[in-house]
Amino acid sequence: RKLKIQEYKEKFANPYVAAAKGYIDSVIAPSETRMFIEHALKVSAHKNRSQPSKKHGNPPF
């Protein structure tokens, strides 16, 4: 049973396997997490989202 549990952890509960298959973009080390979050917040703070203008108004009925 312990052998099967170890095999399962190596095969499915491993972030590097998921990254290799393309399910996730990257594996972040715990020591680098704060840096990644800070960068993401800085980038999204200056993001402007504009809506396209309407092409048509309400049709007359």
Side-chain angles (χ1 to χ4, degrees):
R1 181 170 171 92
K2 289 183 181 181
L3 178 63
K4 289 294 183 181
I5 291 172
Q6 183 63 28
E7 288 177 8
Y8 177 84
K9 286 182 179 179
E10 289 174 2
K11 191 172 182 179
F12 297 108
N14 188 345
Y16 298 106
V17 174
K21 291 183 179 182
Y23 297 140
I24 57 175
D25 293 330
S26 64
V27 179
I28 302 170
S31 61
E32 299 174 346
T33 304
R34 185 180 304 265
M35 180 181 65
F36 275 90
I37 292 173
E38 181 183 355
H39 174 70
L41 290 174
K42 283 182 182 178
V43 169
S44 63
H46 301 294
K47 183 176 180 179
N48 292 330
R49 201 160 110 178
S50 61
Q51 297 289 337
S53 61
K54 291 185 178 182
K55 292 183 180 180
H56 305 289
N58 291 333
F61 288 109

